Amino acid sequence: MSGEKNNDWVGARLKRKEDHRLTTGEGEYFCDTHVAGELHLVFVRSDRAHARILGVDTSAAKQVPGVVAVVSGDDIRDFKSLSQPVLRALVPAHFPDWYMLEIDTVKHYGAPIAAVVARDKYTAEDAAELVTARYEDLPYVGDAEAAVAPGAPIIHEGWDDNIIFQGNFTGGATPEEQAKNEAEVDQILKQSTHTVSQRFEVHRCGATPMEPRGFLAKWSKADGLTCWSTSQRPHIERVAMADILDLPTAKVRIIHPRDAGGGFGVKAPFFREPVLVAYMAMKLGRPVRWQENRQEHLLCVGQERGQSHYVDVGFDDSGRITALRTRGFADCGDGANGVYHGFVMPMTGAFMFPNTYDLPRGDIQLKVAVTNKPALTPARSFGAYPTRFAIERTMDKIAAKLGMDPVDVRLINFVPETPYTSLTGHYLDSGDITAVFKDLLKAVGYDDFRKRQAEAREQGRYLGIGFGTGAEFSGIASVDFVPMENQPGYGAATVRLDPRGQAIVYFGDTSQGQGHETTTAQVVASEFGIDPGHVTLTRGDTELTPFGSGTVAARSGPYTMSAVADACRVLKKKIATVMAHDFALAASPEDFEFEDGFVTYKNDSNIRKTFREATERIVMAPINLPKGMEAGLDHTSFFDTEHGLIAFCAHAAIVEVDIENGQVTLERYIACEDLGTIINPMIVDGQIHGGAVMGISNALFEEFVYDEHGQQLTGDLENYKIATAADVPSVEIIHSDNGPCPFTTLGTRGVGEGTPGSVPGALGNAVSDALSPFGVEVNELPIRPSKLWREIQKAKAKQAAD
């Protein structure tokens, strides 16, 4: 890694520092984390979706040799509800009470009703099978629209209805203003030259990281509670755990293992299982460990999307939208997880509904209902995957209605310039979506494709192209994050220089495989002019690192790396000030450059020190320093912005549909992203690859399926199909250079969080384009060959009859 100039590190395709240990079996995951004398906890989970618990019999399990304790809901009945203020969004909502175990009723299949703690996991699992429960079945509600219908069975006792959140995102802050806007939008739609109306539906699917959740807790009176957790948000988990267990925060330490097998949002909520593990460790005075298995994961977490949207749009002869109205319904599940309660994702998706489009008037409303399913958990394209699908399909439907090219419809409706605030209040800070889209069209070879498509149709082959765009989160500023999730949005980092010129960086967020060790080293190396091999990263330990809100919303590049760079620059100023003092120079810090392992006076290159000499002088020999200056080279920076940041993207899919069986072949997938300054193109490309494949897998393969009683039928990877390498083409990536982000230290934007959101629109539009000769459209997901085949047969029969 030597031989490069310091200013070459940001932007270099540096190989990931993490990969050697990960590919040689030296990774340190949760499964590698153990403490002496640990016990193992296994949950007993409900086999009913909605039922009253008449009794849980744990007597047989308690008799199994090696079992230390068995607990059921009755044993923790007096323990407080986990619905605590620290875990609630600061928006009007109906927050349910929920507990470490279900007490009186179960509200979804797989909900925990008891737990067994034993000397080893095998004993605990055997004993758990001996726990039995008696139930009185209650009506199952498995659909959001059915849940809000008059007379629907109530999920949470004491509630008047099943609505956990409802919001009007347009028209003003008061009911009167909103009603006025609603009437005006209705009138505009009636007066519009053209209208299109359609219901769009996106199924339940989500994220399935290779490594499921895990939690290990150790208790001592001296040190308090020390926990190892797979959470994406150790600092948030620490504060919540302290509040719930009535402990001082100084007595709670959360450590994220060095490595993680993915997260993708699934590990961001505050869950009930870790609380019970910690509770049992305190009660028993022994370390207690829980490792989620794949079936538990598929039954209880990793579930997102699950929305339907009724869209009415008005437009003129040019395709320009005059007004848009949507009524959305989201299936929240039971709402029993902290921070999100299942509704924050669809709420955010509705807020972002306009996406990259300049909607002059709109009426956007959403109802989120609790049902007898597990609570929604976050996944990449947080809440926006369904709304992106709806708005992008709407654009193509406008084009079809007018006989226009969908490219032209988009170009006439794109946000004209930034900064821009949408009618929902979504602030688009910078970038140029039109430029991004045109770069995509060039990469696709759009005109050539249309010629090839026409030739293929003459041969009886059906090709199609579709587009999807995104105005994606690039971190979230505190001004937005505090009301959304009751936590700050700033990035925070500590940079410490040791006497040998080595840099150690500390930040509270975790890594689920994003390459933080590498990108952090590149930023620090670039700032100090040292080798990236001289930079190490410590993260995700609440005792060692500054407070961080977690690895969510693509915060790392724009926010955390800005904090890293800012901290480096403070230390550079200190080093330069001391050098000027030592050499008796009338110089400012800007007169020194940090490059190639040296700190050099720009006006005289003979005046310089090695970076090691410069740091050793301040750390080890802090005498005769400039007046008022302290020893040491440590600094913590907090980076925030006055408003949210976004990153534009545009995707294209090219497909071929076999009309004899409905099979969809994805021929090409192209993603064009506007990322500003790129720290490491190879890592960025990896993030886009992964996000696109996740979106494709969600749209074509994955689906959580429930029977008429609410039993989940997709509790293993045989029935919950995930895309493999054989199912997707190589994702082509184009970087659209429209300048750095003007609001971050390095000009960086975020990438990864929103990438899947552009996929369903691109795929749905591509398949609809391919089958346009038959009038077959994709307005609901997933896209299944069997459904397409049936629609093609209907279209053929109709054409024959006509």
Side-chain angles (χ1 to χ4, degrees), residues 514-583:
Q514 295 92 335
H516 288 163
E517 289 181 40
T518 305
T519 50
T520 302
Q522 288 179 256
V523 170
V524 174
S526 180
E527 291 293 328
F528 289 134
I530 61 177
D531 192 287
H534 298 163
V535 183
T536 59
L537 173 64
T538 296
R539 75 274 189 189
D541 184 335
T542 61
E543 190 167 282
L544 303 178
T545 61
F547 188 93
S549 289
T551 305
V552 294
R555 297 176 61 249
S556 175
Y559 283 75
T560 305
M561 290 304 114
S562 288
V564 170
D566 287 348
C568 290
R569 293 177 186 185
V570 170
L571 297 180
K572 287 168 66 177
K573 183 176 181 180
K574 184 173 183 177
I575 291 169
T577 300
V578 172
M579 279 194 63
H581 171 78
D582 289 350
F583 284 101

Side-chain angles (χ1 to χ4, degrees), residues 364-562:
I364 297 174
Q365 299 185 36
L366 172 73
K367 288 184 179 180
V368 185
V370 290
T371 64
N372 292 124
K373 294 178 183 174
L376 291 182
T377 49
R380 294 169 79 172
S381 190
F382 188 97
Y385 192 93
T387 56
R388 294 282 188 269
F389 176 63
I391 192 70
E392 294 297 340
R393 282 293 299 124
T394 296
M395 291 298 162
D396 271 38
K397 289 182 72 67
I398 292 172
K401 181 74 174 282
L402 295 175
M404 288 180 62
D405 192 312
V407 165
D408 295 330
V409 171
R410 283 174 171 78
L411 290 172
I412 201 171
N413 284 292
F414 276 145
V415 167
E417 60 183 1
T418 56
Y420 170 90
T421 302
S422 78
L423 53 84
T424 64
H426 187 201
Y427 185 76
L428 312 184
D429 66 288
S430 60
D432 186 341
I433 182 57
T434 298
V436 174
F437 191 67
K438 288 183 176 179
D439 285 345
L440 175 70
L441 292 175
K442 182 178 179 181
V444 167
Y446 186 65
D447 292 338
D448 290 339
F449 170 79
R450 287 301 185 192
K451 294 175 184 177
R452 186 163 67 92
Q453 180 187 45
E455 293 169 358
R457 285 182 180 174
E458 291 178 1
Q459 302 165 6
R461 295 173 54 223
Y462 294 88
L463 306 182
I465 189 168
F467 300 100
T469 66
E472 311 296 359
F473 281 136
S474 176
I476 306 178
S478 292
V479 68
D480 297 322
F481 220 14
V482 170
M484 181 191 297
E485 297 186 13
N486 198 11
Q487 53 201 269
Y490 54 68
T494 298
V495 177
R496 175 181 300 161
L497 296 174
D498 73 11
R500 298 297 177 257
Q502 304 286 305
I504 307 171
V505 181
Y506 302 83
F507 55 71
D509 299 341
T510 65
S511 176
Q512 280 79 41
Q514 295 92 335
H516 288 163
E517 289 181 40
T518 305
T519 50
T520 302
Q522 288 179 256
V523 170
V524 174
S526 180
E527 291 293 328
F528 289 134
I530 61 177
D531 192 287
H534 298 163
V535 183
T536 59
L537 173 64
T538 296
R539 75 274 189 189
D541 184 335
T542 61
E543 190 167 282
L544 303 178
T545 61
F547 188 93
S549 289
T551 305
V552 294
R555 297 176 61 249
S556 175
Y559 283 75
T560 305
M561 290 304 114
S562 288

Side-chain angles (χ1 to χ4, degrees), residues 581-600:
H581 171 78
D582 289 350
F583 284 101
L585 299 172
S588 67
E590 292 74 23
D591 294 326
F592 293 83
E593 64 181 5
F594 291 68
E595 190 171 282
D596 293 336
F598 288 91
V599 185
T600 306

Side-chain angles (χ1 to χ4, degrees), residues 200-264:
F200 300 99
E201 182 173 358
V202 175
H203 59 302
R204 267 201 175 211
C205 55
T208 311
M210 289 189 293
E211 179 191 37
R213 298 174 297 158
F215 196 83
L216 168 62
K218 182 178 73 172
W219 167 259
S220 75
K221 291 183 179 179
D223 298 326
L225 194 63
T226 302
C227 306
W228 291 263
S229 171
T230 57
S231 172
Q232 291 174 225
R233 307 178 122 173
H235 281 274
I236 300 297
E237 191 166 63
R238 171 180 178 253
V239 173
M241 195 72 76
D243 285 359
I244 287 168
L245 297 174
D246 293 323
L247 293 172
T249 49
K251 290 291 188 180
V252 180
R253 180 183 183 186
I254 306 290
I255 305 168
H256 187 277
R258 185 177 187 180
D259 300 307
F264 314 114

